[in-house]
Amino acid sequence: MNAPDILSVQGLTTWLSTPSGVVAPVDDVSFSVRAGRTLGLVGESGSGKSMTCLSIMRLLPDNARNGGGRILFEGEDLLARSHSEMADIRGRLIGMVLQDPMTSLNPLFTVGNQIDEVFARHLGTPRADRRRLSVEAMTAVRIPAAAERARAYPHQFSGGMRQRVSIAMNIACAPKLLICDEPTTALDVTVQAQILSLLRTLQRETGVAIILVTHDLNNVARFCDDIAVMYAGRIVEQGPVADVFARPGHPYTQGLLDAMPSLARMAAGAADEPLAIIPGQTPSLAALPSGCRFEPRCPFAFDACRAEYPDWVRTPDGARKMACWKTERLS
């Protein structure tokens, strides 16, 4: 039997006030994540991935506001929660690991003190027990000599170890959902693999649902169960990773996959050949095309694509869907 949805985002829209006017970096976005599974949220820079995550966490910048939809977390709409209730949920039931761990770590306090504070704030743990639990959290993310390293400051850790500390802070209260926004981008390839392997191990041990925001489709292929592809504020295709990678339906998804280096290319002696590129640029949110937003860059575009944004097309089993007029690409 399938695990229940931990998170169900339904028609989420976020408005952003800019010098060019009000735009929607998140526009009618819907997806769900089940317990024990990982959703990869992918797309070019500016597609709306990070703003979607901030919308879920209710951590929007001052010039942004919710424009509609629902964010159901374990059946309860987060948009109906008060600010104080959301402060209780963040860090306790939903964790968020950022691209740069130094943005979530205070350089003036030891990492042990900062993890201690998570237990004090969310669980009311007595002072006498906090350090033991903090060391256990650091041990869980495979930080060696955790009791000793808990007395160290963030600058005394490598980038990979700082990211492990950030993960330790976010799993300390055993959250149901972990949002990882480009958690490995600033790390070298070997450390990236270690961090993703760590997240997978923690998921197997705890059943936490994970949203992984990334540009790296290789990481999606290795780590994620499902994928949602974003373009210009909207999701254009989603489904199980294996199915989408084997038979991409949307031309944008196809373009991203064609641009991905692979071992197969190198084995075939094509390592020196230039990778495929998607021509053109992502459109400005203040001047979107009248029809499909990908139409100016799409090699398959025809009149319908320029006239109207496409409805969702689904596979018969409902496992996959895409927003494209070329419906035969999903058959």
Side-chain angles (χ1 to χ4, degrees):
M1 187 169 66
N2 290 333
D5 289 343
I6 292 296
L7 180 74
S8 178
V9 177
Q10 302 175 359
L12 179 64
T13 297
T14 300
W15 298 111
L16 187 68
S17 297
T18 73
S20 301
V22 177
V23 299
V26 180
D27 189 1
D28 196 22
V29 165
S30 299
F31 61 83
S32 60
V33 192
R34 299 206 306 266
R37 291 181 71 86
T38 300
L39 172 73
L41 190 58
V42 306
E44 294 167 284
S45 295
S47 61
K49 307 182 302 297
S50 294
M51 189 63 74
T52 297
C53 295
L54 292 175
S55 299
I56 293 170
M57 296 293 285
R58 298 268 309 275
L59 290 173
L60 293 174
D62 291 340
N63 63 332
R65 68 182 189 277
N66 174 256
R70 298 200 298 171
I71 306 170
L72 300 181
F73 177 70
E74 295 192 307
E76 298 290 332
D77 191 355
L78 295 183
L79 294 174
R81 297 287 192 173
S82 67
H83 290 296
S84 62
E85 288 173 331
M86 280 303 304
D88 290 337
I89 290 172
R90 290 190 292 263
R92 181 170 61 89
L93 297 176
I94 305 177
M96 188 170 186
V97 180
L98 303 176
Q99 176 177 333
D100 181 3
M102 289 303 283
T103 61
S104 56
L105 296 175
N106 190 322
L108 301 179
F109 295 91
T110 66
V111 299
N113 285 338
Q114 294 181 63
I115 302 175
D116 289 356
E117 183 62 24
V118 175
F119 291 107
R121 167 65 178 81
H122 292 295
L123 301 181
T125 305
R127 182 185 297 273
D129 297 326
R130 291 176 202 163
R131 183 48 51 93
R132 172 181 57 81
L133 293 175
S134 296
V135 170
E136 289 178 0
M138 293 176 66
T139 301
V141 297
R142 314 300 190 264
I143 295 177
E148 178 181 347
R149 300 307 302 277
R151 296 191 292 271
Y153 290 84
H155 73 272
Q156 295 174 295
F157 290 77
S158 67
M161 283 296 166
R162 282 197 294 267
Q163 196 61 286
R164 288 173 186 258
V165 172
S166 179
I167 294 171
M169 292 176 64
N170 281 281
I171 67 164
C173 296
K176 301 293 184 68
L177 173 66
L178 190 62
I179 299 174
C180 301
D181 190 358
E182 302 277 7
T184 62
T185 297
L187 308 176
D188 65 50
V189 175
T190 301
V191 179
Q192 284 185 27
Q194 293 172 353
I195 293 297
L196 291 177
S197 177
L198 169 63
L199 289 171
R200 176 62 84 185
T201 299
L202 292 171
Q203 186 177 60
R204 285 197 299 264
E205 293 173 351
T206 65
V208 63
I210 297 176
I211 297 175
L212 175 67
V213 176
T214 182
H215 290 91
D216 193 331
L217 293 182
N218 285 303
N219 285 339
V220 173
R222 294 196 302 265
F223 181 67
C224 298
D225 303 295
D226 306 291
I227 184 172
V229 182
M230 287 196 76
Y231 184 78
R234 288 188 171 180
I235 291 179
V236 297
E237 182 167 5
Q238 58 182 293
V241 166
D243 293 348
V244 172
F245 275 47
R247 295 185 303 109
H250 199 282
Y252 180 59
T253 308
Q254 181 71 66
L256 292 177
L257 290 171
D258 288 345
M260 182 176 67
S262 68
L263 292 176
R265 283 174 52 86
M266 290 187 282
D272 294 333
E273 296 179 7
L275 294 172
I277 62 171
I278 302 174
Q281 296 180 332
T282 304
S284 166
L285 293 176
L288 293 170
S290 57
C292 174
R293 297 178 180 184
F294 188 59
E295 178 270 326
R297 308 173 70 186
C298 181
F300 304 103
F302 60 107
D303 289 345
C305 306
R306 290 179 277 274
E308 186 178 358
Y309 193 86
D311 292 329
W312 284 109
V313 182
R314 301 174 184 268
T315 54
D317 61 2
R320 290 183 58 192
K321 65 178 183 177
M322 70 171 188
C324 183
W325 289 113
K326 298 286 287 186
T327 57
E328 68 274 11
R329 291 180 61 86
L330 201 59
S331 60

